[in-house]
Amino acid sequence: MSPRNSNPRIRILLLPVLVLGMTAALCAQGPEVPVDPSNSFQVNLPGDGPLALVSADWGRTRATARGGAMLVDLHSTLVFKNASPRPIRGVSLLVLAQEVTPGGKASVTVPSLDVQPGEVFPIRVDLRLMRPLNTGTGALVQVGLDGVLFEDLTFYGPNRLNARRDMLSWELSARRDRKAMLAALTQGGPEILRKQLLAVLARPSDNLVMGMQVARAMPATNVEAGRSVEFAFLQFPDAPVELLSGDVRMTGTEARAPRIELQSKAKRAIRFVELGWLAKDEQGREFMAGTLPADVNLPPGQHSTIRKENTLRFAKPVNGLTAFPSAVEFSDGDLWVPSYAALKDPRLAAALPASGEERRLAELYRRKGLDAVVQQLRSLR
């Protein structure tokens, strides 16, 4: 059986430092560096782990010298076998060219898998990494396992990049959306489900997202520029946290040093909160602008303040910001995500693009028809 989702999520990990002079050096295109696939690449998997490597194709990978650094343009297809007795729902790989070099480390995460024991599946790796030109011997790129999420939501792996949290969030969200679609099918019949899938296909996802980048804020040398703007909040009745107050310094396309006070409504301690952001443009339209994660130490019923020494840079001028809780992780590792009903609130529904699982099922409908979607809704949790 092939994976249900063939689109990996790639994250390039940059160190929070600026290397002066590197930009100029990288602008000079250098000669191609010979790459020998037999010793330039390594896939390191635990011998008793849930994955076994079947094959690795590095044929289109290239390395180029740029000043004192090397740009590795990595293109590979890795084929793995599920060597465990449990179905696999997600896999995250750590791809390393150099541990301490800015741009030398990345992750490739594939959620929404349905790989049964003994089955094989491919993972595409397409990314660029940087490493010093002279690093002695050793593999050019090393690929390791950061984590595997199983059908029963248990996790295996070192979890160096918090892969468990990300994959668990995606899987819980996917199950939530499938459950809602199955309910629509049960209550309204095939035509209701067909209308939902067609609506997802017709939804212009790219137009509903305003680009946002998070950068480390630079120290102020005089009076902080911009105006103080209070956050608006969307509250979900079933959320384990309540957002109480907050503000940010706004200057055109930038929002600096956001601060949000929140209170726990849970009976368990909370260690992580992720906030979704809606940005309002100059015409009063709202767009999804991304999420902002925060590690917290929030006992039951207590208050906490999230302060980020960051600058949020938007793709166009912003006149207001609205925040809402998009994920909460408890100290025992359990995770909360918003309910389907909460995300279908008219204001959110107008601003949020279709979820990844909704898009996947809609694409399955487009390619294979309604029966294929119904089969998955009834066979998967």
Side-chain angles (χ1 to χ4, degrees), residues 21 32 87 97 104 117 143 152 156 171 186 231 242 249 266 269 281 283 317:
E32 186 170 311
V143 179
D152 60 5
Y156 173 95
E171 180 64 19
T186 302
F231 278 101
E242 180 180 1
R249 303 293 302 186
D281 67 9
Q283 286 73 46

Side-chain angles (χ1 to χ4, degrees), residues 24-301:
L26 295 181
C27 291
Q29 178 75 36
E32 186 170 311
V33 179
V35 174
D36 181 3
S38 64
N39 57 26
S40 295
F41 310 102
Q42 290 182 356
V43 180
N44 304 314
L45 298 176
D48 59 348
L51 294 187
L53 181 67
V54 176
S55 64
D57 177 10
W58 310 95
R60 295 195 299 119
T61 297
R62 298 289 182 268
T64 307
R66 293 194 176 184
M70 183 190 304
L71 174 65
V72 182
D73 197 2
L74 184 62
H75 300 282
S76 175
T77 299
L78 305 176
V79 179
F80 297 98
K81 177 182 178 180
N82 180 0
S84 77
R86 291 174 288 173
I88 290 175
R89 288 292 183 256
V91 172
S92 184
L93 302 175
L94 175 63
V95 186
L96 185 66
Q98 176 62 271
E99 182 76 40
V100 297
T101 300
K105 182 165 57 176
S107 68
V108 177
T109 301
V110 186
S112 298
L113 293 173
D114 182 24
V115 183
Q116 299 299 313
E119 291 183 344
V120 300
F121 63 103
I123 293 182
R124 285 287 306 166
V125 180
D126 294 291
L127 50 84
R128 287 186 171 184
L129 298 173
M130 297 298 303
R131 61 176 285 159
L133 189 58
N134 299 314
T135 57
T137 59
L140 188 67
V141 173
Q142 298 184 55
V143 179
L145 180 64
D146 196 39
V148 171
L149 184 71
F150 296 102
E151 183 183 50
D152 60 5
L153 302 184
T154 57
F155 182 85
Y156 173 95
N159 199 32
R160 292 179 58 187
L161 305 177
N162 283 322
R164 178 190 179 276
R165 178 190 296 155
D166 290 339
M167 287 194 290
L168 183 58
S169 176
W170 292 326
E171 180 64 19
L172 291 177
S173 298
R175 293 185 181 191
R176 171 199 66 201
D177 296 343
R178 290 196 298 269
K179 183 178 179 181
M181 285 192 170
L182 182 59
L185 172 66
T186 302
Q187 297 169 11
E191 286 307 310
I192 294 297
L193 178 60
R194 190 192 307 274
K195 289 181 180 180
Q196 288 191 2
L197 296 169
L198 289 173
V200 172
L201 289 174
R203 196 168 177 80
S205 299
D206 292 342
N207 295 336
L208 297 173
V209 178
M210 180 187 292
M212 180 181 79
Q213 294 180 338
V214 181
R216 185 176 295 276
M218 301 299 291
T221 56
N222 48 26
V223 177
E224 185 70 28
R227 68 190 193 281
S228 178
V229 174
E230 292 188 357
F231 278 101
F233 297 121
L234 289 177
Q235 309 286 4
F236 300 148
D238 66 332
V241 295
E242 180 180 1
L243 308 182
L244 302 177
S245 64
D247 55 65
V248 67
R249 303 293 302 186
M250 293 291 302
T251 56
T253 60
E254 291 188 349
R256 299 182 179 181
R259 180 197 65 85
I260 293 179
E261 183 181 358
L262 67 162
Q263 180 178 8
S264 170
K265 300 192 298 181
K267 297 181 180 179
R268 293 176 287 174
I270 294 171
R271 67 186 182 192
F272 173 83
V273 174
E274 181 183 73
L275 301 179
W277 299 87
L278 296 181
K280 183 182 295 184
D281 67 9
E282 294 177 314
Q283 286 73 46
R285 298 171 300 180
E286 287 190 309
F287 299 84
M288 182 65 185
T291 60
L292 195 64
D295 293 318
V296 298
N297 181 13
L298 187 55

